[in-house]
Amino acid sequence: MRLLHLGDVLGQSGRKAALEALPMLRDRLSVDIAVVNVENAAHGFGVTAKICKEFYDAGADVLTTGNHVWDQREIIAYIDEDEKLLRPWNFPDGTPGNGDYVFKTKSGKKVCVINMMGRLFMDPLSCPFQGADKLFNKHKLGKNVDAVIVDFHAETTSEKMAFGHHCDGRASLVLGTHTHVPTADAQILPNGTGYQTDVGMCGDFDSVIGMKKENSVRKFITKMPSGRFEPAEGPATVCGVYVETDDKTGLAKRIEAVRIGGRLKGSWPSA
Amino acid sequence: MRLLHLGDVLGQSGRKAALEALPMLRDRLSVDIAVVNVENAAHGFGVTAKICKEFYDAGADVLTTGNHVWDQREIIAYIDEDEKLLRPWNFPDGTPGNGDYVFKTKSGKKVCVINMMGRLFMDPLSCPFQGADKLFNKHKLGKNVDAVIVDFHAETTSEKMAFGHHCDGRASLVLGTHTHVPTADAQILPNGTGYQTDVGMCGDFDSVIGMKKENSVRKFITKMPSGRFEPAEGPATVCGVYVETDDKTGLAKRIEAVRIGGRLKGSWPSA
Amino acid sequence: MRLLHLGDVLGQSGRKAALEALPMLRDRLSVDIAVVNVENAAHGFGVTAKICKEFYDAGADVLTTGNHVWDQREIIAYIDEDEKLLRPWNFPDGTPGNGDYVFKTKSGKKVCVINMMGRLFMDPLSCPFQGADKLFNKHKLGKNVDAVIVDFHAETTSEKMAFGHHCDGRASLVLGTHTHVPTADAQILPNGTGYQTDVGMCGDFDSVIGMKKENSVRKFITKMPSGRFEPAEGPATVCGVYVETDDKTGLAKRIEAVRIGGRLKGSWPSA
Amino acid sequence: MRLLHLGDVLGQSGRKAALEALPMLRDRLSVDIAVVNVENAAHGFGVTAKICKEFYDAGADVLTTGNHVWDQREIIAYIDEDEKLLRPWNFPDGTPGNGDYVFKTKSGKKVCVINMMGRLFMDPLSCPFQGADKLFNKHKLGKNVDAVIVDFHAETTSEKMAFGHHCDGRASLVLGTHTHVPTADAQILPNGTGYQTDVGMCGDFDSVIGMKKENSVRKFITKMPSGRFEPAEGPATVCGVYVETDDKTGLAKRIEAVRIGGRLKGSWPSA
Ligand SMILES: [Fe+2]
Ligand SMILES: [Fe+2]
Ligand SMILES: [Fe+2]
Ligand SMILES: [Fe+2]
Ligand SMILES: [Fe+2]
Ligand SMILES: [Fe+2]
Ligand SMILES: [Fe+2]
Ligand SMILES: [Fe+2]
């Protein structure tokens, strides 16, 4: 199978680029499933039902989020209506929405998508490592599901790498989100899981993590309240990761970074 | 000019790979200056005088560090003897060692190397942004120095990107260290400064930031004291960044990631 | 019933003072149960089996701990043998030891003691608020237990006050530990739970939270590694809290701070 | 001399109680100077020019603040007009307002008031310890000033105790603010400085640090966005500290906690 995951879509610039790229990527890479992290799609903060629809229409199959999931309050009421829009699984019991979803591809394959959040320098949700154990008990790679994608939304490289190894052999792909900067460490871990510490954002890289740079720099220096942070408006780079899995085991055979447009050096899974 | 900077050397595996690569890289890329971050060179924790000598002998011109600089206590007495071994500039007044150094290349060019530390999720040193202003007043790119390299040792992508923009036009290269994972966002910022959020480590990537993975994973799960963290011993990837500057302005004309060996996809500044 | 809880015993000075005070306090206040937090009893870091025995011999009925519980490695093997030595309940499943215990007083009353840890600026254990809900379902005040004491080991006043209100009406006493400074806010919350944000340590208050002050001050200023932190050796103040409960409901009728000896102004539940 | 300092005034309930208590306290205790921390006076967040005037009219001589100082944006423009309204001294150079002020009492004595902020679990301002050294060089107790009061706005007991010892002998009084809970550790440090880890708030203690408890508890449990935090509206306890200094040295001869009204046990410097 062929899996595609795009990182945090940031504001209008990121939406425009990601919505344009999705149909092209689906087509050129013949992907079986496309997942997009949309936690910053609505002007940098959260996502709306309208934006979700735009992404589904453009070819996204499942949407993931992170710590910004509730920034647009309307999503709290909406999320239970849309089981393809995930929030981190390890929120407290009783939180609206769900954190795992089994998507059926056109060819009838089952792909489990999991959204999980890290805790180091972040909110103390329930343990993502123990949560993963429970979920892998339910979604068994190569048995009841054909592929497993885990979007691990976390701050530090240490927690992300540790989590990757913890999942190794039980997921097709573990990719990090949240830092908005793509890492250059795509690899297949020893037991067969494709891994990249952070997939990077779909946003303008002449910025501070996608937001206009002047305000952010000023705040670091002056420690005074800044005006509202606004998304940078230059052309976005679409950042993603592409994985090919073994049909039998569901493990990764190949992993490649995807980077298209904007200021960053391009990357493309050449044939 | 041609500048090379290698990221955090991690333990024996990282030392071996970096010491081997340095002469080859100097030769093939005809670099005018090679800088290496050695904060994890001594079994993962700090650096010793003996290791510094090994790096100088292998072709390193200036060494930088970070939060782990004092892990080997002997370095506290040593650092004042060796002005090419830097510690973050923004430690309190009176701290042993220095955080900026002007290196003279064989061809007589002056390259200022600055080591600075971020504060978000790190120790509250003095402001790196205001510190940079002072240092750029002293070391004027294209005037009294021919190139300026800033090793910004910091945790978050937001502080690193903000710091890069703050230095833009005043440094030849701002590169992040500390997270041990190379980022894929090498770019020349609008005012001419080469930038990469993190250069990555010289270490084994089948690990948790260079340390053996089992111990680290167990600690994230059990919250119990772990045994001593030890460096992973597999073959290291040498991670660095290469920049070509304009002879007149000292600004970057080209920036390329360098990755050699180990598990990561290679990267090489092709001609 | 009459309940007594002493705060974090710190090193030799704290042990000496607390061990001397315990028999006197039991006697004078006719307490039905005495609980002592011993997480810093062993030279400031953790506790040993030998020290536990000393406290039981002096009249402690149950011992609580906190983030320092595992500092003395021998306690990991010991804790499962001693069900009266508690560690925070919300450690991950599978952690040695237990976090709640029902003590039977000489007069046949049952007192449930719970040890819980906060998460703000601390390690991300499982949710203490949801944990409390589970425990109060098992230990029903005024029904299957005659009193409930909760030692909430936490950093911030906000999490502690929120936790106190969350438990209000379901515990006889919620007292904070960990900051080592007694607070002056003992009160009975609206639904009947006795509450004090921090009970304070049993230690020398000419110190930095019980440790020698010179080393600590130097570290705040220089940001250099300090020598090993050592307990201050001056005379300790014994800090505790005393509660009288209603025999029927188990709720608090009276709460008084206890402070004896050392540098702090004394406090004593006068008749 | 007789010094009075009241802690963080919280919202309408805190303002009402503090404004009523001030004239009475000035009168009964014959204080030479009254300082009030007003960082939460405006509905819990910051302070306005109008509120400052109310406090001056009620008998406050100098006002201090903390991390919430800029919450009401109007104060940014106002603060330079009012040199008696302090913000933490260790904000970056160029920040509006001032952090130290020498007040002249009616009897012609000079009292230096300093507002400083801690850094542990707070914003990384410049070093408060080194800042204190500079300020004590300028304001010499028993030489060019008759008393020195330092409001140290900080989170942790360790940084506060360390800071107290660092100032010991150079200030008449070092008191902590920010946690909103009064501590019971008022003492005169070995070199003569009066010290209390936290003076506590002027606010309703049936709350979470002065704010309505329901919202706060819910947020700790659900990790969902809460509605706007609002001050609790019950009767406030006025929390302060009272110090008598030696006329010659300016050092403390006596220190007493002040607590009046509301839910907490009262405290009053009896004759
Ligand atoms: Fe994001
Ligand atoms: Fe995020
Ligand atoms: Fe490092
Ligand atoms: Fe580091
Ligand atoms: Fe403690
Ligand atoms: Fe503790
Ligand atoms: Fe406050
Ligand atoms: Fe505050």
Side-chain angles (χ1 to χ4, degrees):
Chain A
M1 293 182 68
R2 293 149 173 265
L3 321 173
L4 176 73
H5 194 113
L6 304 185
D8 311 37
V9 173
L10 208 142
Q12 193 176 9
S13 159
R15 287 202 312 274
K16 188 169 176 292
L19 290 169
E20 265 179 42
L22 267 171
M24 182 273 286
L25 287 163
R26 287 208 75 117
D27 182 52
R28 298 273 190 90
L29 299 174
S30 309
V31 302
D32 296 281
I33 178 172
V35 185
V36 184
N37 187 309
V38 292
E39 74 147 2
N40 308 105
H43 212 58
F45 298 94
V47 66
T48 62
K50 183 167 169 287
I51 291 174
C52 290
K53 186 168 186 318
E54 287 172 3
F55 276 94
Y56 294 135
D57 289 348
D61 298 310
V62 178
L63 303 176
T64 56
T65 57
N67 55 312
H68 284 289
V69 59
W70 313 120
D71 285 0
Q72 303 296 325
R73 293 298 185 273
E74 62 161 271
I75 217 69
I76 300 176
Y78 170 75
I79 199 167
D80 275 326
E81 293 173 33
D82 179 359
E83 58 185 5
K84 294 179 179 181
L85 172 63
L86 305 185
R87 46 81 180 164
W89 183 88
N90 50 342
F91 267 103
D93 291 345
T95 301
N98 48 291
D100 62 323
Y101 178 73
V102 178
F103 174 77
K104 281 190 197 151
T105 67
K106 278 172 191 160
S107 59
K109 302 280 186 152
K110 291 181 186 169
V111 184
C112 172
V113 181
I114 293 169
N115 197 179
M116 193 65 83
M117 202 143 87
R119 304 195 290 184
L120 200 41
F121 306 138
M122 301 191 84
D123 231 3
L125 304 189
S126 77
C127 177
F129 293 81
Q130 297 189 319
D133 289 344
K134 278 190 205 171
L135 285 164
F136 292 135
N137 240 27
K138 181 178 160 195
H139 307 293
K140 290 172 202 274
L141 185 63
K143 300 198 171 143
N144 61 5
V145 291
D146 300 289
V148 174
I149 299 173
V150 187
D151 177 337
F152 187 51
H153 198 77
E155 178 67 43
T156 70
T157 50
S158 60
E159 193 175 12
K160 280 160 152 172
M161 290 181 88
F163 187 78
H165 289 298
H166 183 65
C167 299
D168 188 17
R170 301 188 285 174
S172 312
L173 168 62
V174 171
L175 66 293
T177 54
H178 180 64
T179 74
H180 292 192
V181 175
T183 56
D185 65 336
Q187 59 167 302
I188 296 175
L189 299 179
N191 299 316
T193 294
Y195 172 81
Q196 186 172 314
T197 296
D198 204 297
V199 66
M201 69 176 164
C202 299
D204 174 7
F205 278 84
D206 181 15
S207 70
V208 173
I209 57 168
M211 308 306 276
K212 282 184 184 167
K213 58 194 177 187
E214 294 76 13
N215 232 355
S216 174
V217 172
R218 192 182 319 121
K219 193 167 187 188
F220 273 110
I221 297 172
T222 65
K223 301 294 171 192
M224 296 289 283
S226 62
R228 193 178 150 74
F229 283 100
E230 303 275 348
E233 292 168 353
T237 302
V238 170
C239 289
V241 63
Y242 166 81
V243 163
E244 294 174 13
T245 62
D246 180 279
D247 280 343
K248 212 155 192 178
T249 64
L251 293 169
K253 291 190 304 183
R254 182 185 179 200
I255 179 167
E256 303 280 351
V258 173
R259 289 190 299 280
I260 305 167
R263 302 180 64 86
L264 301 195
K265 192 173 182 178
S267 173
W268 182 260
S270 53
Chain B
M1 294 182 68
R2 292 149 173 267
L3 321 174
L4 176 72
H5 194 113
L6 304 185
D8 310 38
V9 173
L10 208 141
Q12 193 174 9
S13 159
R15 286 204 311 275
K16 186 167 177 294
L19 290 169
E20 265 179 43
L22 265 172
M24 182 273 286
L25 286 164
R26 289 208 73 119
D27 182 51
R28 298 272 189 91
L29 300 173
S30 309
V31 303
D32 295 281
I33 178 171
V35 184
V36 183
N37 188 307
V38 293
E39 74 147 4
N40 308 106
H43 212 59
F45 298 94
V47 66
T48 62
K50 181 165 169 288
I51 291 174
C52 290
K53 186 167 186 315
E54 288 172 2
F55 275 93
Y56 294 136
D57 289 348
D61 298 309
V62 178
L63 303 175
T64 55
T65 57
N67 55 312
H68 284 289
V69 58
W70 313 121
D71 285 359
Q72 302 296 325
R73 294 297 186 274
E74 62 161 272
I75 217 69
I76 299 175
Y78 169 75
I79 199 167
D80 275 325
E81 293 172 34
D82 179 358
E83 58 185 6
K84 294 178 178 180
L85 173 63
L86 305 184
R87 47 81 180 162
W89 183 88
N90 50 344
F91 267 102
D93 291 344
T95 301
N98 47 292
D100 62 324
Y101 177 72
V102 178
F103 175 76
K104 280 190 198 153
T105 68
K106 277 174 192 159
S107 60
K109 302 280 186 154
K110 290 180 186 170
V111 183
C112 173
V113 180
I114 293 169
N115 198 180
M116 192 67 84
M117 203 144 89
R119 304 195 289 185
L120 200 40
F121 305 138
M122 301 190 84
D123 231 2
L125 303 189
S126 76
C127 177
F129 292 82
Q130 296 189 320
D133 289 345
K134 279 190 204 172
L135 284 164
F136 292 136
N137 240 28
K138 182 177 159 194
H139 307 293
K140 290 172 201 276
L141 185 64
K143 300 199 173 142
N144 62 5
V145 290
D146 300 290
V148 173
I149 299 172
V150 188
D151 177 337
F152 187 51
H153 198 77
E155 178 67 42
T156 69
T157 50
S158 60
E159 192 175 13
K160 280 161 151 170
M161 290 182 88
F163 187 77
H165 289 299
H166 182 65
C167 299
D168 188 16
R170 301 189 286 175
S172 312
L173 169 61
V174 171
L175 67 292
T177 54
H178 179 67
T179 72
H180 293 191
V181 174
T183 56
D185 64 338
Q187 59 166 302
I188 296 176
L189 299 178
N191 298 317
T193 293
Y195 172 82
Q196 186 171 315
T197 295
D198 204 298
V199 66
M201 69 176 164
C202 298
D204 174 7
F205 278 84
D206 181 14
S207 70
V208 173
I209 60 167
M211 308 306 276
K212 282 184 184 166
K213 58 195 179 186
E214 293 76 12
N215 233 354
S216 174
V217 172
R218 192 183 318 120
K219 192 166 187 189
F220 273 109
I221 297 172
T222 65
K223 301 294 171 192
M224 295 289 283
S226 62
R228 193 178 149 74
F229 283 100
E230 304 275 348
E233 292 168 355
T237 302
V238 170
C239 288
V241 64
Y242 166 81
V243 164
E244 293 174 14
T245 62
D246 180 279
D247 280 343
K248 213 155 191 180
T249 62
L251 293 168
K253 291 189 305 183
R254 182 186 179 201
I255 180 167
E256 302 280 352
V258 173
R259 287 190 301 280
I260 305 168
R263 301 179 65 85
L264 301 196
K265 193 174 181 178
S267 173
W268 182 260
S270 54
Chain C
M1 293 182 70
R2 293 151 173 264
L3 321 173
L4 177 71
H5 194 114
L6 303 185
D8 311 37
V9 173
L10 208 141
Q12 194 175 9
S13 159
R15 287 202 311 274
K16 188 169 175 294
L19 290 169
E20 265 179 42
L22 267 172
M24 183 272 287
L25 286 163
R26 289 207 73 116
D27 182 50
R28 299 271 190 91
L29 300 173
S30 309
V31 303
D32 296 283
I33 179 171
V35 184
V36 183
N37 187 309
V38 293
E39 75 147 1
N40 308 105
H43 212 60
F45 298 94
V47 66
T48 62
K50 182 166 168 287
I51 291 175
C52 291
K53 186 168 185 317
E54 287 172 3
F55 275 94
Y56 294 136
D57 289 348
D61 298 311
V62 178
L63 303 175
T64 55
T65 57
N67 55 312
H68 284 288
V69 59
W70 313 120
D71 286 0
Q72 302 296 326
R73 293 296 186 275
E74 62 161 272
I75 217 69
I76 300 175
Y78 170 75
I79 200 166
D80 275 326
E81 293 172 32
D82 179 357
E83 58 186 3
K84 294 177 179 183
L85 172 64
L86 305 184
R87 45 80 180 165
W89 183 88
N90 50 342
F91 268 103
D93 290 345
T95 301
N98 48 292
D100 62 324
Y101 178 71
V102 178
F103 174 76
K104 280 189 198 152
T105 68
K106 277 171 193 165
S107 61
K109 303 279 187 155
K110 290 181 186 169
V111 183
C112 173
V113 180
I114 294 169
N115 198 179
M116 193 65 85
M117 202 143 89
R119 303 196 290 184
L120 200 40
F121 305 138
M122 301 191 84
D123 230 3
L125 303 190
S126 77
C127 177
F129 293 82
Q130 295 189 320
D133 289 344
K134 279 189 203 171
L135 285 165
F136 292 135
N137 239 27
K138 181 178 161 194
H139 308 292
K140 291 173 202 273
L141 185 63
K143 300 195 172 144
N144 61 5
V145 290
D146 301 289
V148 174
I149 299 173
V150 187
D151 177 338
F152 187 51
H153 198 79
E155 178 68 43
T156 70
T157 51
S158 60
E159 192 175 13
K160 280 160 152 171
M161 291 181 88
F163 188 76
H165 289 298
H166 183 65
C167 299
D168 188 17
R170 301 189 284 176
S172 312
L173 170 62
V174 171
L175 65 293
T177 53
H178 180 65
T179 74
H180 293 194
V181 174
T183 56
D185 64 337
Q187 60 167 302
I188 298 175
L189 299 178
N191 298 317
T193 293
Y195 173 81
Q196 185 172 314
T197 296
D198 204 296
V199 66
M201 69 176 164
C202 298
D204 174 8
F205 278 84
D206 181 15
S207 70
V208 173
I209 57 169
M211 308 306 275
K212 284 186 182 164
K213 59 195 177 187
E214 294 76 13
N215 232 355
S216 174
V217 172
R218 192 183 318 119
K219 191 165 187 189
F220 273 110
I221 298 172
T222 65
K223 301 293 171 192
M224 296 288 284
S226 63
R228 191 177 151 72
F229 283 99
E230 304 274 348
E233 291 167 356
T237 303
V238 170
C239 289
V241 65
Y242 166 82
V243 163
E244 292 174 15
T245 62
D246 180 277
D247 280 345
K248 211 154 191 180
T249 63
L251 293 168
K253 291 190 305 182
R254 182 185 179 200
I255 179 166
E256 301 281 352
V258 173
R259 288 190 300 280
I260 305 167
R263 303 179 64 86
L264 301 195
K265 193 174 181 178
S267 172
W268 184 261
S270 55
Chain D
M1 295 183 67
R2 292 150 173 266
L3 321 173
L4 177 71
H5 194 113
L6 302 185
D8 312 37
V9 173
L10 208 141
Q12 193 175 9
S13 159
R15 287 203 312 275
K16 186 167 176 296
L19 291 169
E20 265 180 42
L22 267 172
M24 182 273 287
L25 286 164
R26 290 208 73 117
D27 182 49
R28 299 271 191 93
L29 299 173
S30 309
V31 304
D32 296 282
I33 178 171
V35 184
V36 183
N37 187 308
V38 293
E39 74 146 3
N40 307 106
H43 212 61
F45 298 95
V47 65
T48 61
K50 181 165 169 290
I51 291 174
C52 291
K53 187 167 184 318
E54 288 173 2
F55 275 93
Y56 294 136
D57 289 348
D61 297 311
V62 178
L63 303 175
T64 55
T65 57
N67 55 311
H68 284 290
V69 58
W70 313 121
D71 285 0
Q72 302 296 326
R73 294 295 186 276
E74 62 161 272
I75 217 69
I76 299 175
Y78 169 74
I79 199 167
D80 276 325
E81 292 173 34
D82 179 358
E83 58 185 4
K84 294 178 179 181
L85 172 63
L86 305 184
R87 45 79 181 166
W89 183 88
N90 50 342
F91 267 103
D93 291 344
T95 301
N98 48 292
D100 63 325
Y101 177 71
V102 178
F103 174 75
K104 279 188 198 153
T105 67
K106 278 173 192 162
S107 60
K109 302 280 186 154
K110 290 180 185 169
V111 184
C112 172
V113 181
I114 293 169
N115 198 179
M116 192 66 83
M117 202 142 90
R119 303 195 289 185
L120 200 40
F121 304 139
M122 302 191 83
D123 230 2
L125 303 189
S126 78
C127 177
F129 293 81
Q130 295 189 321
D133 289 343
K134 279 190 203 171
L135 285 165
F136 292 136
N137 240 28
K138 181 177 161 196
H139 307 293
K140 290 172 202 274
L141 185 63
K143 299 196 173 144
N144 62 5
V145 290
D146 300 291
V148 173
I149 299 172
V150 188
D151 177 338
F152 187 51
H153 197 78
E155 178 68 42
T156 70
T157 50
S158 60
E159 192 174 14
K160 280 160 151 171
M161 291 182 89
F163 188 77
H165 289 297
H166 183 64
C167 299
D168 188 16
R170 301 189 285 177
S172 312
L173 170 61
V174 171
L175 66 293
T177 54
H178 180 66
T179 72
H180 292 193
V181 174
T183 57
D185 65 337
Q187 60 166 303
I188 297 177
L189 299 178
N191 299 315
T193 294
Y195 172 82
Q196 186 172 313
T197 295
D198 204 297
V199 66
M201 69 175 163
C202 298
D204 174 7
F205 278 85
D206 182 13
S207 70
V208 173
I209 58 168
M211 308 306 277
K212 282 185 183 164
K213 58 195 178 188
E214 293 76 14
N215 232 354
S216 174
V217 172
R218 193 183 317 121
K219 192 167 186 188
F220 273 110
I221 297 171
T222 65
K223 301 293 171 192
M224 296 289 283
S226 62
R228 191 177 151 74
F229 282 100
E230 304 274 348
E233 291 168 356
T237 302
V238 171
C239 288
V241 65
Y242 166 80
V243 164
E244 293 174 14
T245 62
D246 180 277
D247 280 344
K248 214 156 188 175
T249 63
L251 293 168
K253 291 191 304 182
R254 183 185 178 201
I255 180 166
E256 302 281 352
V258 174
R259 287 190 301 279
I260 306 167
R263 303 180 63 87
L264 301 196
K265 192 174 182 178
S267 172
W268 182 261
S270 55

